[in-house]
Amino acid sequence: MTTPELDRKAPVEQPDVPPPTPKSTTRSRSTLPAWRGLIYRLHFYAGIVVAPFILIAALSGGLYAIAPTIENIAYRDYLHVDSTGPDVPVDQQVRAAEQLRPDLELVAVQPAPESGATTRVLFADPTLGESERHAVFVDPTTANPVGESTVYGSSGALPFRAWVGQLHRHLHLGEPGRLYSEFAASWMWVIALGGLFLWVVRYRRRRTANAAEARLLTPGRGGKGHSRTVNWHGAVGVWILLPVLFLSATGLTWSTYAGANVDEMRAAFNWKTPVVDSSLGTGAAAPAHGDHGGAKATGTGPSETTVAQIDSVLRTARAAGIDGPVEVSIPAAESTAFVVKEQRLSGVLAIDSVAVDGATGQISDELRFAEWPLAAKLSSWGIQLHMGMMFGLANQLLLLAVIVALVSVVIRGYVMWWRRRPTRGSTLAVGRVPTRGSIRKIPPLGIAAIVVVGLGVGYFVPLLGLGLLAFLFVDLTVSAYKWAAST
């Protein structure tokens, strides 16, 4: 007696033989594990060294993103007044501030941008640091000073935001902290792109094994322990890849060595931010007003006649289309014009400026943002995006979301390292280090490409190049020691 299952002629299963592939494709697939091993080691070691600063930079950056809101609350008595009525002339407000601080030299004034806001009268103070000025806050309706404080940079950050900014930039450690910050920013994009490569390779493997479980942009619902941590680490890393690369690139423009190379490149291609000419042609030109507004005037300061010209200069600038919040740089010499420049504040995308002859009220030079080189515009917008100032609250919330995600990626990275530790032996054991030797399996052409790219990038971003050399030296030294010990 037979059964239908035995009578049915089922096709004989054949072994799963892959179709022939071109020789070049086979070679590239055979070297993929070697590339993965090399990138895994770079990703691992760079992450262990750089991740602590990335964590601090992320937390301080998140605090900096919301600092303007905190600033408005903490310094409300300096920034806002309850007085109502018409504003008195700006020159009277300036004289009131000069009476309060006759020991300092007047350099600029920022008229109250709206009703209820204060006017900032800015002085050069030789006791302050780079890009710092002393500000006296004046009630524009009564011309009474309401407070004074140090302000920093072109955005006029008050002490709290300036402190957070310095923490973000160099951990309040001076030049050593700034170098470590540059080292972290230099390697951040290596970590991010290396992580993307590893995540894509993992996704391709899982898709080949089980397409239903493969996830590239989502962590998936399954998995526990180490697998779940890896899934969230990789998926969230993909989500924030572009913002992290952007923050790394723009952060390097403020760095010591890579920043200097960026400045040289911008100068060579005429991409530097242009500056309005404040010289009236009857003497030496005044120092250029840089983006940070930290230049200090010299001499005895502006005369009473010069101060009396501020209001007429403002009217000329307003008539020329220089509107919104502005800063008026006051010349210390008659051969120099006033410079009225729109402030770099939240939501201000274009920064126009004019130079005005105080004696005649005529515009001697003007510079429109539309005339800036494209690279200078992109640089200005990049700085504003990095600082959370380009789109106001939306920009700040976006940065905050990226920062929270970045913190979670860093923490999960350390959790993954901890879970890879041996469960037997010393209680001080940490996670296992990825195996070495992958670079020996990479074709000579690939090694040559690594050398060329490494030299080029290392020259432009020196701390990345030095870090890569240190990594190779330590790795080869340990490998040679183990080889000698085993023979």
Side-chain angles (χ1 to χ4, degrees), residues 95 98 302-309:
R95 289 192 180 97
E98 285 185 307
S303 65
E304 286 293 322
T305 302
T306 300
V307 173
Q309 296 169 348

Side-chain angles (χ1 to χ4, degrees), residues 203 206-215 218 220-221:
Y203 164 75
R206 294 174 68 87
R207 187 180 62 176
T208 302
N210 189 344
E213 295 182 0
R215 296 287 189 276
T218 59
R221 298 181 180 179

Side-chain angles (χ1 to χ4, degrees), residues 277-288 331-337:
D277 183 9
S278 60
S279 173
L280 293 177
T282 58
E334 294 181 357
S335 59
T336 306

